[in-house]
């Protein structure tokens, strides 16, 4: 089932969020709005807004208020993507030229900072100091995680917990915050807010591990970038860490560096795929999914709970 | 506490503002400290003029000192974040350094947000966010070289330099200080650009002024250069007059800085005349 078909009961609300996003990125000065719109129109799963809206169903659901949270989180995510493309020197995202490629690095920096500001403005509309605290803490942690990622590049001797801490900061925290903030802004009871936070956290962990697997198993067409790009850039992901325990491929992986060419990388990718690294990675992703699903059992029964379950399963099993 | 500052033959009495300045600077440095970033990047510059302008706003303000200090530190963190991102270029260079510059700026802006969120300064979060939006809009206008009038160009520079301080002045219920900060920081930037243009011929601002005033000129004639310098000087004069005309309780240290800047202006103006 396609993701959008899955949450069809949210489609009107998501359309409203989409309209709000378009409004939010408009700029008095054309090129900036144009760049932000370029990114917005490239699509994306809008997973964070979906989690906000679903989590809010466990409290007093008010779309007008929820829109602010959903838009703020998606804008923060977009801002980080624009800057990530400068960091990764990436020319393509979702098959379209990145802002840094279409305009320039400097322009991408301004666009990211602009989106960050727009996000905070949206969040301010909510008038909830605790929501600001949650988002602020998340942003700082995400940044620290990204710095860690640079620090750990091509470090093939890093322990598993380093990888897990990194993906927690890089991905899981923002998804956890989406769930937490949706529930918080809707005034859901504290135990439910906490449960949803951890649900988001585990789903986020599973999501990132799946993403890291797809970097090896996906095609360039599916990924919108060449397979193995993460490893080529020195990002030591879970399949790599597992494959390193196989003596037959360890040396080939450890030899990967900034100078490795595409042909050499293709051989390394094939070698990794011949080990049990992909299966083991899926197994860990499943463990996080199970934890997430288990947390759902403690939530009140409603349509949102069923959809959170479907979404979690989709995220863990997706193939693009 | 009274600190005496000697500047040439002049003696200026300055109250404990220098101590406050040093204390704020230290707090900011601590917040910005990140071992890995420090290992690979130079420590970010902390603009003492902005700190001094911020502290000057506090004289007579009803805001509690600790609250006001938090607002100042947050404003400085955001300014440093924006300044850090200005260092990102398309010139190639060391990839890891560029990556870390991007992330350092992101981290600093996150820290600004965290500081204000923790203290419940939600109105100021919105206010500073508006300033960051305006600043980036103006930066893009400048970067894209799409400004059509020199007056708009200078106004854009003024916004880029002072928007955060203007919002801070509003928060301190001292909007007149916002105007002062605008004139001060615009004058400082114009002086720097003017100096760069005179010394090296390379100034982003003068390049754009030239494009607006002489769109067909491939290289500027002496007379065209003089015309641009005159234009810039008129603006600097305007800023200086606004600073001297401001009916504000300007502390000794700030008075000294204004005088230094004006002196800088006079020295540069003299040099320009000499060079013809």
């Amino acid at each position: 089932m396609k993701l959008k078909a899955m949450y069809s009961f949210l489609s009107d609300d998501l359309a409203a969020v989409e309209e709000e996003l378009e409004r939010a990125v408009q700029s008095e000065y054309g090129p900036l709005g144009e760049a932000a719109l370029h990114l917005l129109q490239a699509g994306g799963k809008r997973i964070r807004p979906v989690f906000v809206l679903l989590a809010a169903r466990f409290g007093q659901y008010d779309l007008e208020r929820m829109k602010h949270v959903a838009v703020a989180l998606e804008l923060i995510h977009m801002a980080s993507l624009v800057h990530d493309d400068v960091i990764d020197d990436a020319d393509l995202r979702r098959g379209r030229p990145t802002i840094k490629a279409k305009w320039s690095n400097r322009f991408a920096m301004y666009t990211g900072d602009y989106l960050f500001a727009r996000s905070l403005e949206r969040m301010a509309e909510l008038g909830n100091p605790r929501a600001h605290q949650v988002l602020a803490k998340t942003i700082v942690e995400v940044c620290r995680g990204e710095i860690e990622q640079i620090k750990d590049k091509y470090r093939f001797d890093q322990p598993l917990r380093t990888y897990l801490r990194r993906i927690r900061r890089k991905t899981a925290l923002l998804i956890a915050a989406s769930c937490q903030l949706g529930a918080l802004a809707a005034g859901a009871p504290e135990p439910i807010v906490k449960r949803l936070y951890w649900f988001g956290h585990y789903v986020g962990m599973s999501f990132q591990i799946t993403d890291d697997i797809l970097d090896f198993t996906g095609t360039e067409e599916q990924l919108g970038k060449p397979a193995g790009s993460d490893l080529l850039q020195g990002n030591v992901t879970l399949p790599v860490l597992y494959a390193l325990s196989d003596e037959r491929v360890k040396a080939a992986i450890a030899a990967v560096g900034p100078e490795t060419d595409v042909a050499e990388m293709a051989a390394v990718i094939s070698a990794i795929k011949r080990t049990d690294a992909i299966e083991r990675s899926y197994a860990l992703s499943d463990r996080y999914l199970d934890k997430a699903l288990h947390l759902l059992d403690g939530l009140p029964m409603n349509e949102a709970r069923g959809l959170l379950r479907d979404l979690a399963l989709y995220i863990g099993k997706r193939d693009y | 506490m009274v600190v005496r500052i000697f500047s040439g033959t002049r003696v200026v009495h300055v109250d404990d503002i220098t101590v406050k300045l040093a204390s704020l600077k230290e707090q900011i440095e601590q917040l910005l400290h990140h071992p890995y970033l420090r290992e690979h990047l130079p420590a970010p510059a902390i603009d003492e003029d902005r700190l001094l302008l911020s502290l000057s706003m506090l004289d007579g303000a009803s805001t509690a000192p600790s609250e006001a200090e938090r607002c100042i530190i947050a404003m400085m963190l955001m300014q440093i974040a924006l300044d850090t991102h200005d260092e990102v270029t398309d010139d190639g260079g060391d990839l890891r350094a560029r990556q870390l510059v991007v992330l350092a700026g992101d981290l600093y802006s996150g820290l600004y947000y965290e500081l204000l969120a923790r203290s419940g300064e939600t109105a100021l979060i919105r206010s500073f966010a508006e300033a960051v939006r305006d600043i980036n809009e103006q930066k893009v206008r400048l970067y894209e070289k799409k400004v059509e009038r020199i007056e708009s160009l200078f106004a854009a520079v003024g916004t880029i330099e002072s928007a955060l301080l203007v919002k801070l002045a509003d928060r301190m219920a001292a909007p007149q200080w916002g105007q002062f900060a605008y004139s001060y920081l615009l004058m400082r930037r114009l002086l720097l650009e003017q100096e760069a243009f005179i010394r090296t011929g390379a100034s982003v601002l003068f390049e754009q002024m030239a494009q607006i005033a002489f769109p067909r000129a491939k290289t500027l004639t002496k007379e065209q250069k003089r015309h641009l310098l005159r234009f810039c000087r008129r603006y600097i004069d305007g800023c200086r007059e606004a600073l001297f005309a401001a009916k504000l309780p300007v502390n000794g240290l700030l008075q000294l800085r204004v005088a230094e800047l004006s002196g800088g202006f006079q020295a540069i103006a003299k040099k320009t005349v000499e060079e013809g």
Side-chain angles (χ1 to χ4, degrees):
Chain A
M1 191 191 240
K2 289 276 180 201
L3 192 62
K4 284 198 174 150
M6 201 183 290
Y7 41 70
S8 59
F9 97 95
L10 279 180
S11 57
D12 287 350
D13 292 3
L14 277 173
V17 169
E18 202 67 26
E19 271 178 32
E20 202 63 30
L21 271 169
E22 280 187 26
R23 258 198 294 277
V25 300
Q26 272 167 17
S27 164
E28 276 181 32
Y29 183 59
L32 202 47
E34 192 191 320
L37 207 58
H38 170 81
L39 184 65
L40 197 63
Q41 286 168 347
K45 301 180 186 73
R46 306 283 187 260
I47 276 176
R48 290 145 201 90
V50 169
F51 279 127
V52 169
L53 298 183
L54 288 175
R57 298 271 170 163
F58 294 91
Q60 299 291 316
Y61 188 85
D62 172 0
L63 180 62
E64 286 310 305
R65 279 174 64 75
M66 289 316 121
K67 271 196 304 193
H68 299 312
V69 185
V71 167
L73 280 158
E74 193 60 15
L75 290 176
I76 284 288
H77 174 60
M78 284 169 65
S80 74
L81 294 183
V82 180
H83 286 178
D84 281 354
D85 289 334
V86 176
I87 291 167
D88 297 339
D89 205 14
D91 290 334
L92 285 176
R93 177 170 289 279
R94 296 178 191 130
R96 286 165 63 113
T98 56
I99 292 182
K100 80 118 211 155
K102 196 167 175 196
W103 284 272
S104 68
N105 280 341
R106 181 71 69 84
F107 191 99
M109 296 318 298
Y110 296 154
T111 308
D113 287 344
Y114 171 79
L115 290 171
F116 172 73
R118 294 304 258 173
S119 168
L120 266 48
E121 281 184 82
R122 283 289 147 166
M123 205 59 181
E125 294 291 330
L126 191 66
N128 183 332
R130 197 173 150 213
H132 276 303
Q133 287 165 15
V134 169
L135 185 59
K137 195 175 167 210
T138 306
I139 290 171
V140 170
E141 282 296 297
V142 169
C143 291
R144 291 193 195 281
E146 293 226 36
I147 294 169
E148 290 286 309
Q149 183 163 309
I150 304 282
K151 189 177 164 187
D152 293 337
K153 277 194 175 190
Y154 301 107
R155 257 193 61 205
F156 294 109
D157 60 346
Q158 61 187 269
L160 178 63
R161 68 171 182 281
T162 304
Y163 164 80
L164 294 176
R165 187 183 60 195
R166 199 168 59 236
I167 66 167
R168 173 181 168 269
R169 284 168 151 175
K170 180 182 167 183
T171 307
L173 281 179
L174 201 53
I175 294 180
S178 305
C179 294
Q180 184 185 14
L181 286 169
L184 188 73
E190 193 54 33
I192 290 182
V193 175
K194 268 193 187 151
R195 195 170 273 270
L196 282 163
Y197 170 85
W198 283 105
F199 167 80
H201 175 268
Y202 292 134
V203 168
M205 295 297 281
S206 175
F207 179 86
Q208 188 56 52
I209 293 173
T210 308
D211 226 39
D212 292 343
I213 296 169
L214 291 173
D215 189 55
F216 290 99
T217 59
T219 62
E220 185 165 349
E221 195 188 351
Q222 287 168 328
L223 300 170
K225 58 182 182 179
S229 294
D230 286 342
L231 180 56
L232 192 58
Q233 288 180 349
N235 294 327
V236 181
T237 59
L238 191 59
V240 178
L241 283 175
Y242 281 151
L244 280 163
S245 62
D246 189 322
E247 289 300 327
R248 291 169 300 172
V249 295
K250 194 174 176 178
I253 295 173
V256 172
E259 310 305 325
T260 304
D261 65 31
V262 179
E264 287 167 331
M265 260 316 289
V268 175
I269 293 169
S270 299
I272 291 173
K273 282 161 83 173
R274 280 197 298 273
T275 70
D276 61 357
I278 302 295
E279 287 79 32
R280 287 173 71 192
S281 300
Y282 270 124
L284 186 58
S285 170
D286 286 347
R287 274 171 58 196
Y288 279 113
L289 264 189
D290 287 344
K291 285 186 180 200
L293 296 174
H294 180 67
L295 281 168
L296 288 181
D297 295 340
L299 289 174
M301 187 70 89
N302 62 15
E303 207 171 2
R305 185 177 121 169
L307 192 48
L308 284 173
R309 184 185 168 78
D310 293 346
L311 263 177
L313 288 170
Y314 165 83
I315 279 169
K317 307 290 178 199
R318 76 191 196 282
D319 55 6
Y320 66 95
Chain B
M1 181 180 175
V2 174
V3 178
R4 304 177 90 205
I5 292 181
F6 297 88
S7 171
T9 54
R10 186 203 317 244
V11 179
V12 180
H13 294 271
V14 179
D15 61 13
D16 62 355
I17 201 157
T18 47
V19 178
K20 284 187 201 160
L21 204 67
S23 157
L24 278 177
K25 209 173 158 186
E26 201 181 320
Q27 289 180 62
I28 294 167
E29 279 166 354
Q30 277 171 9
L31 281 165
L32 293 175
H33 184 73
H34 185 291
Y36 187 70
L37 290 179
R38 252 344 47 78
E39 205 181 304
H40 296 278
L41 298 177
I46 299 172
D47 185 344
E48 289 191 16
D49 279 353
R50 279 196 170 85
L51 265 182
L52 181 57
L53 286 163
S54 309
L55 277 172
S56 303
M57 291 174 189
L58 293 187
D59 283 345
S62 55
T63 318
S66 61
E67 205 179 304
E69 280 192 7
R70 234 183 350 252
C71 299
I72 293 172
I73 293 172
M75 184 277 296
M76 290 299 290
L77 290 175
M78 192 61 231
Q79 185 66 51
I80 291 167
L82 296 172
D83 294 345
T84 303
H85 281 166
D86 274 334
E87 289 168 25
V88 177
T89 63
D90 290 87
D91 299 343
D94 180 35
L95 178 66
R96 187 169 62 176
R98 190 176 71 212
Q99 292 170 329
L100 290 176
V101 168
V102 175
L103 291 172
D106 288 348
L107 178 64
Y108 304 155
S109 59
L111 290 172
Y112 126 83
Y113 183 32
E114 193 179 35
L115 185 64
L116 290 183
R118 263 204 224 145
S119 49
E121 284 277 359
T122 48
L124 195 57
I125 290 172
R126 183 205 296 262
S127 197
F128 279 162
E130 286 167 4
V132 174
R133 181 194 62 198
D134 290 348
I135 289 170
N136 282 290
E137 282 184 333
Q138 297 309 327
K139 279 185 177 176
V140 166
R141 281 184 75 197
L142 249 62
Y143 181 71
E144 290 274 285
K145 299 182 178 168
K146 292 284 167 64
V147 186
E148 286 166 0
R149 297 172 59 234
I150 292 181
E151 289 81 0
S152 312
L153 184 67
F154 286 3
V157 173
T159 300
I160 291 167
E161 292 294 321
S162 69
L164 282 165
L165 268 162
V166 169
K167 296 290 187 184
L168 182 72
D170 290 343
R171 166 66 181 81
M172 305 290 181
Q176 65 281 21
W177 273 106
Q179 191 51 49
F180 189 91
Y182 177 94
S183 302
Y184 182 96
L185 293 170
L186 178 58
M187 178 168 87
R188 188 181 74 166
R189 172 75 183 267
L190 294 182
L191 282 165
L192 286 170
E193 296 281 348
Q194 183 182 249
E195 192 173 355
F197 182 67
I198 292 168
R199 280 176 196 241
T200 65
S203 147
V204 179
L205 192 72
F206 275 78
E207 238 175 72
Q208 295 201 33
M209 284 169 69
Q211 204 176 25
I212 296 167
F214 311 110
R216 292 197 192 121
K218 285 189 179 147
T219 46
L220 294 176
T221 63
K222 265 193 171 183
E223 184 46 44
Q224 285 171 330
K225 283 181 187 174
R226 266 199 292 269
H227 174 81
L228 295 181
L229 281 166
R230 269 198 303 273
F231 208 100
C232 185
R233 216 171 297 133
R234 244 192 356 248
Y235 260 82
I236 292 170
D237 279 346
C239 291
R240 197 164 52 123
E241 278 160 24
L243 290 177
F244 287 132
K247 301 273 183 282
L248 290 169
V250 178
N251 62 62
L253 195 55
L254 186 54
Q255 276 180 34
L256 179 65
R257 280 296 293 140
V258 171
E260 276 175 359
L261 270 187
S262 296
F265 160 76
Q266 280 156 6
I268 289 165
K270 189 164 171 276
K271 191 172 160 48
T272 315
V273 173
E274 281 166 2
E275 286 176 357

Short mmCIF file of all heavy atoms in Angstrom, two decimals, chain A residues 211-244:
data_model
loop_
_atom_site.label_atom_id
_atom_site.label_comp_id
_atom_site.label_asym_id
_atom_site.label_seq_id
_atom_site.Cartn_x
_atom_site.Cartn_y
_atom_site.Cartn_z
N ASP A 211 16.70 3.14 6.11
CA ASP A 211 17.31 4.06 5.15
C ASP A 211 18.74 3.64 4.84
O ASP A 211 19.18 3.66 3.68
CB ASP A 211 17.33 5.45 5.78
CG ASP A 211 16.86 6.52 4.83
OD1 ASP A 211 15.90 6.25 4.09
OD2 ASP A 211 17.45 7.61 4.84
N ASP A 212 19.46 3.27 5.88
CA ASP A 212 20.86 2.86 5.72
C ASP A 212 20.98 1.54 4.95
O ASP A 212 21.95 1.33 4.22
CB ASP A 212 21.54 2.76 7.10
CG ASP A 212 21.69 4.12 7.77
OD1 ASP A 212 21.58 5.14 7.05
OD2 ASP A 212 21.88 4.18 8.99
N ILE A 213 19.99 0.68 5.11
CA ILE A 213 19.98 -0.58 4.34
C ILE A 213 19.71 -0.27 2.87
O ILE A 213 20.39 -0.77 1.97
CB ILE A 213 18.90 -1.54 4.89
CG1 ILE A 213 19.22 -1.98 6.33
CG2 ILE A 213 18.75 -2.76 3.97
CD1 ILE A 213 18.09 -2.72 7.04
N LEU A 214 18.71 0.61 2.66
CA LEU A 214 18.32 0.94 1.28
C LEU A 214 19.48 1.56 0.51
O LEU A 214 19.54 1.45 -0.72
CB LEU A 214 17.11 1.87 1.27
CG LEU A 214 15.80 1.24 1.74
CD1 LEU A 214 14.69 2.29 1.85
CD2 LEU A 214 15.36 0.12 0.80
N ASP A 215 20.38 2.21 1.20
CA ASP A 215 21.54 2.79 0.53
C ASP A 215 22.35 1.71 -0.20
O ASP A 215 23.05 2.00 -1.16
CB ASP A 215 22.42 3.54 1.54
CG ASP A 215 23.52 4.34 0.85
OD1 ASP A 215 23.18 5.16 -0.02
OD2 ASP A 215 24.70 4.11 1.16
N PHE A 216 22.23 0.47 0.28
CA PHE A 216 22.93 -0.64 -0.37
C PHE A 216 22.04 -1.43 -1.31
O PHE A 216 22.48 -1.94 -2.32
CB PHE A 216 23.52 -1.60 0.69
CG PHE A 216 24.65 -0.98 1.44
CD1 PHE A 216 24.47 -0.41 2.68
CD2 PHE A 216 25.92 -0.91 0.86
CE1 PHE A 216 25.50 0.20 3.36
CE2 PHE A 216 26.97 -0.30 1.54
CZ PHE A 216 26.75 0.25 2.78
N THR A 217 20.76 -1.54 -0.94
CA THR A 217 19.88 -2.43 -1.73
C THR A 217 19.06 -1.68 -2.77
O THR A 217 18.53 -2.29 -3.69
CB THR A 217 18.93 -3.19 -0.79
OG1 THR A 217 18.14 -2.22 -0.06
CG2 THR A 217 19.68 -4.06 0.20
N GLY A 218 18.91 -0.35 -2.62
CA GLY A 218 18.09 0.41 -3.54
C GLY A 218 18.82 0.70 -4.86
O GLY A 218 20.05 0.59 -4.93
N THR A 219 18.02 1.07 -5.86
CA THR A 219 18.63 1.46 -7.13
C THR A 219 18.79 2.98 -7.14
O THR A 219 18.16 3.68 -6.34
CB THR A 219 17.73 1.07 -8.31
OG1 THR A 219 16.49 1.80 -8.17
CG2 THR A 219 17.45 -0.42 -8.35
N GLU A 220 19.60 3.44 -8.08
CA GLU A 220 19.81 4.89 -8.17
C GLU A 220 18.49 5.61 -8.43
O GLU A 220 18.23 6.69 -7.89
CB GLU A 220 20.82 5.19 -9.29
CG GLU A 220 21.17 6.66 -9.34
CD GLU A 220 22.42 6.96 -10.16
OE1 GLU A 220 23.14 6.01 -10.52
OE2 GLU A 220 22.64 8.16 -10.44
N GLU A 221 17.63 4.97 -9.21
CA GLU A 221 16.33 5.57 -9.54
C GLU A 221 15.46 5.69 -8.28
O GLU A 221 14.81 6.71 -8.05
CB GLU A 221 15.64 4.70 -10.59
CG GLU A 221 14.49 5.39 -11.28
CD GLU A 221 13.72 4.44 -12.17
OE1 GLU A 221 14.18 3.30 -12.38
OE2 GLU A 221 12.64 4.84 -12.62
N GLN A 222 15.47 4.62 -7.47
CA GLN A 222 14.67 4.65 -6.24
C GLN A 222 15.21 5.65 -5.23
O GLN A 222 14.45 6.34 -4.56
CB GLN A 222 14.66 3.24 -5.59
CG GLN A 222 13.82 2.22 -6.33
CD GLN A 222 14.10 0.81 -5.80
OE1 GLN A 222 15.20 0.49 -5.38
NE2 GLN A 222 13.07 -0.02 -5.83
N LEU A 223 16.53 5.69 -5.13
CA LEU A 223 17.15 6.51 -4.09
C LEU A 223 17.31 7.98 -4.48
O LEU A 223 17.42 8.84 -3.62
CB LEU A 223 18.54 5.95 -3.74
CG LEU A 223 18.60 4.51 -3.21
CD1 LEU A 223 20.05 4.03 -3.15
CD2 LEU A 223 17.98 4.43 -1.83
N GLY A 224 17.32 8.24 -5.76
CA GLY A 224 17.57 9.61 -6.23
C GLY A 224 19.03 9.99 -6.10
O GLY A 224 19.41 11.15 -6.22
N LYS A 225 19.88 8.99 -5.83
CA LYS A 225 21.34 9.20 -5.74
C LYS A 225 21.98 7.83 -5.94
O LYS A 225 21.30 6.80 -5.76
CB LYS A 225 21.73 9.80 -4.38
CG LYS A 225 21.31 8.93 -3.20
CD LYS A 225 21.66 9.54 -1.88
CE LYS A 225 21.26 8.58 -0.75
NZ LYS A 225 21.57 9.03 0.57
N PRO A 226 23.26 7.77 -6.28
CA PRO A 226 23.87 6.46 -6.52
C PRO A 226 23.86 5.58 -5.26
O PRO A 226 23.99 6.10 -4.14
CB PRO A 226 25.31 6.80 -6.91
CG PRO A 226 25.30 8.23 -7.26
CD PRO A 226 24.20 8.87 -6.49
N ALA A 227 23.68 4.28 -5.46
CA ALA A 227 23.73 3.36 -4.31
C ALA A 227 25.12 3.43 -3.68
O ALA A 227 26.12 3.69 -4.35
CB ALA A 227 23.42 1.95 -4.78
N GLY A 228 25.16 3.22 -2.38
CA GLY A 228 26.45 3.23 -1.67
C GLY A 228 26.98 4.62 -1.39
O GLY A 228 28.12 4.78 -0.94
N SER A 229 26.15 5.65 -1.63
CA SER A 229 26.63 7.03 -1.44
C SER A 229 27.07 7.29 0.00
O SER A 229 28.05 8.01 0.23
CB SER A 229 25.52 8.04 -1.77
OG SER A 229 25.22 7.98 -3.12
N ASP A 230 26.33 6.70 0.95
CA ASP A 230 26.68 6.96 2.36
C ASP A 230 28.09 6.49 2.66
O ASP A 230 28.90 7.22 3.23
CB ASP A 230 25.70 6.22 3.30
CG ASP A 230 24.35 6.89 3.34
OD1 ASP A 230 24.27 8.07 2.95
OD2 ASP A 230 23.37 6.23 3.75
N LEU A 231 28.38 5.25 2.25
CA LEU A 231 29.71 4.69 2.53
C LEU A 231 30.79 5.49 1.79
O LEU A 231 31.86 5.77 2.35
CB LEU A 231 29.74 3.20 2.15
CG LEU A 231 31.08 2.50 2.39
CD1 LEU A 231 31.54 2.63 3.83
CD2 LEU A 231 30.99 1.02 2.00
N LEU A 232 30.49 5.83 0.56
CA LEU A 232 31.46 6.59 -0.23
C LEU A 232 31.82 7.90 0.49
O LEU A 232 32.96 8.37 0.43
CB LEU A 232 30.88 6.88 -1.62
CG LEU A 232 31.85 7.41 -2.66
CD1 LEU A 232 33.01 6.46 -2.87
CD2 LEU A 232 31.14 7.67 -3.98
N GLN A 233 30.82 8.46 1.19
CA GLN A 233 31.09 9.71 1.92
C GLN A 233 31.66 9.47 3.31
O GLN A 233 31.83 10.40 4.09
CB GLN A 233 29.81 10.52 2.03
CG GLN A 233 29.40 11.13 0.70
CD GLN A 233 28.13 11.93 0.81
OE1 GLN A 233 27.43 11.88 1.81
NE2 GLN A 233 27.83 12.65 -0.24
N GLY A 234 31.89 8.19 3.61
CA GLY A 234 32.52 7.88 4.89
C GLY A 234 31.57 7.62 6.03
O GLY A 234 32.00 7.45 7.17
N ASN A 235 30.25 7.61 5.74
CA ASN A 235 29.29 7.35 6.81
C ASN A 235 29.23 5.85 7.10
O ASN A 235 28.82 5.06 6.25
CB ASN A 235 27.90 7.86 6.42
CG ASN A 235 27.87 9.37 6.31
OD1 ASN A 235 28.58 10.06 7.05
ND2 ASN A 235 27.09 9.88 5.37
N VAL A 236 29.64 5.50 8.28
CA VAL A 236 29.70 4.08 8.65
C VAL A 236 28.33 3.70 9.24
O VAL A 236 28.00 4.05 10.36
CB VAL A 236 30.84 3.83 9.66
CG1 VAL A 236 30.92 2.35 10.02
CG2 VAL A 236 32.16 4.31 9.08
N THR A 237 27.55 3.01 8.43
CA THR A 237 26.17 2.68 8.83
C THR A 237 26.10 1.23 9.31
O THR A 237 27.09 0.49 9.27
CB THR A 237 25.21 2.92 7.65
OG1 THR A 237 25.64 2.09 6.56
CG2 THR A 237 25.19 4.37 7.22
N LEU A 238 24.89 0.84 9.74
CA LEU A 238 24.74 -0.48 10.35
C LEU A 238 25.17 -1.64 9.44
O LEU A 238 25.91 -2.53 9.89
CB LEU A 238 23.29 -0.66 10.83
CG LEU A 238 23.04 -1.87 11.72
CD1 LEU A 238 23.88 -1.83 12.99
CD2 LEU A 238 21.55 -1.97 12.08
N PRO A 239 24.73 -1.67 8.18
CA PRO A 239 25.18 -2.78 7.33
C PRO A 239 26.71 -2.86 7.23
O PRO A 239 27.29 -3.94 7.20
CB PRO A 239 24.56 -2.47 5.95
CG PRO A 239 23.38 -1.61 6.27
CD PRO A 239 23.77 -0.80 7.46
N VAL A 240 27.34 -1.71 7.22
CA VAL A 240 28.81 -1.67 7.16
C VAL A 240 29.40 -2.26 8.44
O VAL A 240 30.32 -3.09 8.40
CB VAL A 240 29.33 -0.23 6.93
CG1 VAL A 240 30.84 -0.19 6.92
CG2 VAL A 240 28.76 0.35 5.65
N LEU A 241 28.86 -1.82 9.57
CA LEU A 241 29.39 -2.30 10.86
C LEU A 241 29.24 -3.82 10.97
O LEU A 241 30.15 -4.52 11.41
CB LEU A 241 28.65 -1.63 12.02
CG LEU A 241 29.06 -0.19 12.32
CD1 LEU A 241 28.17 0.40 13.40
CD2 LEU A 241 30.52 -0.12 12.76
N TYR A 242 28.09 -4.34 10.54
CA TYR A 242 27.88 -5.79 10.60
C TYR A 242 28.81 -6.50 9.61
O TYR A 242 29.38 -7.54 9.92
CB TYR A 242 26.42 -6.14 10.30
CG TYR A 242 25.48 -5.93 11.47
CD1 TYR A 242 24.14 -5.60 11.27
CD2 TYR A 242 25.91 -6.07 12.79
CE1 TYR A 242 23.26 -5.42 12.33
CE2 TYR A 242 25.05 -5.87 13.86
CZ TYR A 242 23.73 -5.56 13.63
OH TYR A 242 22.88 -5.38 14.68
N ALA A 243 28.94 -5.94 8.41
CA ALA A 243 29.78 -6.57 7.40
C ALA A 243 31.25 -6.61 7.84
O ALA A 243 32.00 -7.52 7.47
CB ALA A 243 29.65 -5.85 6.07
N LEU A 244 31.63 -5.63 8.66
CA LEU A 244 33.03 -5.58 9.13
C LEU A 244 33.39 -6.79 10.00
O LEU A 244 34.56 -7.11 10.17
CB LEU A 244 33.27 -4.28 9.92
CG LEU A 244 33.52 -3.04 9.06
CD1 LEU A 244 33.34 -1.77 9.90
CD2 LEU A 244 34.93 -3.06 8.46
#
